[in-house]
């Protein structure tokens, strides 16, 4: 029987098809940008930036935050319509930060960070695992190869789901991976479906942490484990401090986030959702030889290999300025779609705020929490 979709879903599918054309199976990055529909990209940009244009830290009210939160699904979907190609250009296919060990190349560090989450959760061969907010599937593919588990990824952005499926097929992993388009606040899975659920810097897009954690609790089997690297403001963050608030707002705008919360709120949300919290730690607070934010900063002292230099040159402060000038010229020449320059500037603003928030210990992108769904007494 064919699934019936709503009128709104059909409209979103039609828009995304026009916007991205046939770029789901291209190599990603700038090549995909060149293939986008200019008018549709401009419309996506307008819909996304309406929540931030002409707004300053001192102008933020509860009503402004509530309006963003109510529109979280559109914000997230359009953000990744605009930003995915930039992410693939800079970060390749895993969209997250990581810790760095001495002498460790960038991509090795990224994979180790994914392995550490799988290890902390005890993901094993043949387990049925859910990746919440899977991006283009880089971490899911790595965790499948590392553990031997079967991973299903869910993502609200249709373009990313298409790219994730393309990459899985390309690597011969289609039998171990499945990607589903949907809102993670109302997932299309029955209760008690998965042995483990993880999220890597994705649930920050949720309108409510307790809400998303509760939905994860629902689809997790009794005794199953949930692990997350969460984006949170630290307890040093003071919302009444306008400078602190500016940093938070710039992070939110540059990363498609309706609103962020503090560490204490995140911990409470996990337990309020019903999980027994087994482990929690701010991994950004460890005394590593290189800080998590260094690839976005202007300091190249942490570069380990020539490949690192090439990778970081695309995403650090100086590389961003060079490429943004190039994007501006290409957009003026109508080779890149309208709104490309504005997206690049917003991403740069968010990157600068991430570095500042990291240096000032106001923000962490890797607060690790691992919780377990209790087994009911009659099942024990």
């Amino acid at each position: 029987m064919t699934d019936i979709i709503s009128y709104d879903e059909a409209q979103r599918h039609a828009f995304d098809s026009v916007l991205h054309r046939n770029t789901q199976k291209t190599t990603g990055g700038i090549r995909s940008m060149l293939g986008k529909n200019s008018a549709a990209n401009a419309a996506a940009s307008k819909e996304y930036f309406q929540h931030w244009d002409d707004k300053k830290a001192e102008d933020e009210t509860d009503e402004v935050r509530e309006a963003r939160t109510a529109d979280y699904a559109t914000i997230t979907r359009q953000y990744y319509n605009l930003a995915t190609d930039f992410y693939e250009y800079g970060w390749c296919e895993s969209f997250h930060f990581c810790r760095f060990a001495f002498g460790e190349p960038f991509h090795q560090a990224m994979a180790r960070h994914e392995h550490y989450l799988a290890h902390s959760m005890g993901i094993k061969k043949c387990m049925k695992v859910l990746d919440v907010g899977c991006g283009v599937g880089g971490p899911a593919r790595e965790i499948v190869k590392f553990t031997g588990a079967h991973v299903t990824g869910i993502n609200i952005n249709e373009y990313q789901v298409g790219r994730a499926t393309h990459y899985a097929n390309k690597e011969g992993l289609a039998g171990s991976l499945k990607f589903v388009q949907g809102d993670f606040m109302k997932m299309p899975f029955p209760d008690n479906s998965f042995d483990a659920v993880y999220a890597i810097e994705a649930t920050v897009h949720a309108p409510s942490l307790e809400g998303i954690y509760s939905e994860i609790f629902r689809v997790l089997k009794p005794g199953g484990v949930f692990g997350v690297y969460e984006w949170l403001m630290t307890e040093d963050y003071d919302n009444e401090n306008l400078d602190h608030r500016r940093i938070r707002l710039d992070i939110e705008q540059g990363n498609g986030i309706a609103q962020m919360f503090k560490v204490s709120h995140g911990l409470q949300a996990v337990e309020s959702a019903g999980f027994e919290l087994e482990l929690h730690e701010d991994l950004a607070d460890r005394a590593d030889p290189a800080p998590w934010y260094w690839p976005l900063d202007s300091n190249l002292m942490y570069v380990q290999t020539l490949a690192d230099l090439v990778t970081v040159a695309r995403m650090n402060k100086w590389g961003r300025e060079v490429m943004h000038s190039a994007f501006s010229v290409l957009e003026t020449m109508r080779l890149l779609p309208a709104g490309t320059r504005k997206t690049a500037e917003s991403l740069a603003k968010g990157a600068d705020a991430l570095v500042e928030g990291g240096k000032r210990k106001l923000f962490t992108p890797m607060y690790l929490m691992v919780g377990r769904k209790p087994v009911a007494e009659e099942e024990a």
Side-chain angles (χ1 to χ4, degrees):
M1 180 178 178
T2 303
D3 291 335
I4 298 175
I5 64 172
S6 69
Y7 176 74
D8 287 344
E9 288 173 322
Q11 275 195 317
R12 289 192 289 268
H13 172 72
F15 178 87
D16 290 353
S17 297
V18 170
L19 171 60
H20 296 291
R21 294 172 171 166
N22 296 316
T23 61
Q24 284 186 347
K25 296 183 180 180
T26 63
T27 55
I30 293 176
R31 185 174 174 183
S32 292
M33 291 184 207
L34 292 168
K36 292 170 77 172
N37 179 283
S38 185
N41 200 72
S45 176
K46 181 178 180 180
E47 187 167 33
Y48 177 74
F49 285 108
Q50 65 178 324
H51 290 284
W52 284 281
D53 280 345
D54 304 317
K55 295 180 176 66
K56 298 178 180 178
E58 55 267 32
D59 299 328
E60 188 184 51
T61 62
D62 290 342
E63 289 73 23
V64 168
R65 293 193 77 178
E66 288 169 4
R68 287 201 306 267
T69 301
D71 204 24
Y72 78 91
T74 298
I75 287 174
T76 305
R77 185 176 69 88
Q78 295 293 34
Y79 173 76
Y80 284 110
N81 273 338
L82 295 168
T84 296
D85 297 327
F86 287 94
Y87 276 38
E88 288 205 55
Y89 166 74
W91 293 86
C92 296
E93 297 156 23
S94 291
F95 306 159
H96 60 79
F97 293 103
C98 67
R99 295 173 55 221
F100 294 94
F102 178 78
E104 187 174 38
F106 176 82
H107 290 293
Q108 182 177 320
M110 293 283 281
R112 180 170 63 85
H113 195 62
E114 294 158 4
H115 297 172
Y116 186 76
L117 179 61
H119 168 74
S120 298
M121 296 171 61
I123 296 177
K124 294 180 175 60
K125 183 179 179 181
C126 298
M127 287 178 69
K128 189 177 180 182
V129 180
L130 178 65
D131 180 331
V132 175
C134 61
V136 299
R141 294 195 302 279
E142 188 64 37
I143 287 175
V144 161
K145 289 180 278 191
F146 180 66
T147 66
H150 182 282
V151 175
T152 298
I154 185 169
N155 194 317
I156 198 170
N157 184 271
E158 185 176 344
Y159 178 56
Q160 289 196 337
V161 169
R163 293 197 65 74
T165 301
H166 168 68
Y167 289 133
N169 292 337
K170 183 179 178 181
E171 293 190 21
L173 296 172
S176 299
L177 284 163
K178 178 183 178 183
F179 296 99
V180 177
Q181 192 273 329
D183 184 345
F184 59 31
M185 296 301 294
K186 42 191 175 185
M187 291 190 275
F189 308 119
D191 296 355
N192 309 322
S193 294
F194 297 95
D195 301 302
V197 180
Y198 70 84
I200 299 178
E201 302 183 23
T203 46
V204 67
H205 294 293
S208 159
L209 290 183
E210 184 177 343
I212 179 57
Y213 296 161
S214 295
E215 182 67 354
I216 288 169
F217 186 91
R218 180 186 69 78
V219 302
L220 191 61
K221 295 177 182 178
V225 63
F226 167 50
V228 59
Y229 287 138
E230 192 63 84
W231 279 32
L232 294 167
M233 306 307 292
T234 70
E235 296 306 301
D236 290 336
Y237 173 79
D238 178 7
N239 197 56
E240 298 306 310
N241 182 318
L242 290 182
D243 199 37
H244 287 195
R245 194 187 303 177
R246 169 190 59 80
I247 293 171
R248 174 180 58 77
L249 285 169
D250 286 352
I251 291 173
E252 290 172 344
Q253 175 185 321
N255 293 277
I257 302 165
Q259 61 173 335
M260 279 196 300
F261 304 96
K262 294 173 76 168
V263 167
S264 55
H265 182 102
L267 292 169
Q268 181 180 4
V270 169
E271 294 186 326
S272 295
F275 289 101
E276 295 175 348
L277 193 60
E278 296 184 343
L279 171 66
H280 68 94
E281 179 189 1
D282 183 2
L283 297 184
D285 209 29
R286 289 199 183 181
D288 292 323
W292 61 266
Y293 52 77
W294 82 261
L296 295 179
D297 205 1
S298 56
N299 191 339
L300 297 179
M301 68 177 289
Y302 301 111
V303 170
Q304 301 295 325
T305 67
L306 180 60
D308 277 3
L309 184 61
V310 173
T311 299
V312 172
R314 297 197 297 261
M315 65 178 80
N316 78 348
K317 189 175 182 65
W318 311 124
R320 292 196 303 269
E321 290 185 5
V322 170
M323 288 308 301
H324 294 172
S325 298
F327 291 148
S328 181
V329 171
L330 292 171
E331 184 177 337
T332 301
M333 296 172 64
R334 298 188 178 181
L335 295 175
L336 286 176
T340 299
R341 178 177 59 246
K342 185 169 186 176
T343 300
E345 290 171 349
S346 178
L347 289 169
K349 188 176 186 179
D352 290 341
L354 287 167
V355 172
E356 187 176 2
K359 288 181 176 179
R360 296 173 63 174
K361 303 289 186 182
L362 299 175
F363 164 80
T364 174
M366 55 183 74
Y367 198 92
L368 171 64
M369 295 182 284
V370 177
R372 192 168 300 275
K373 182 174 180 176
V375 178
E377 289 187 7
E378 59 271 19
E379 299 179 49

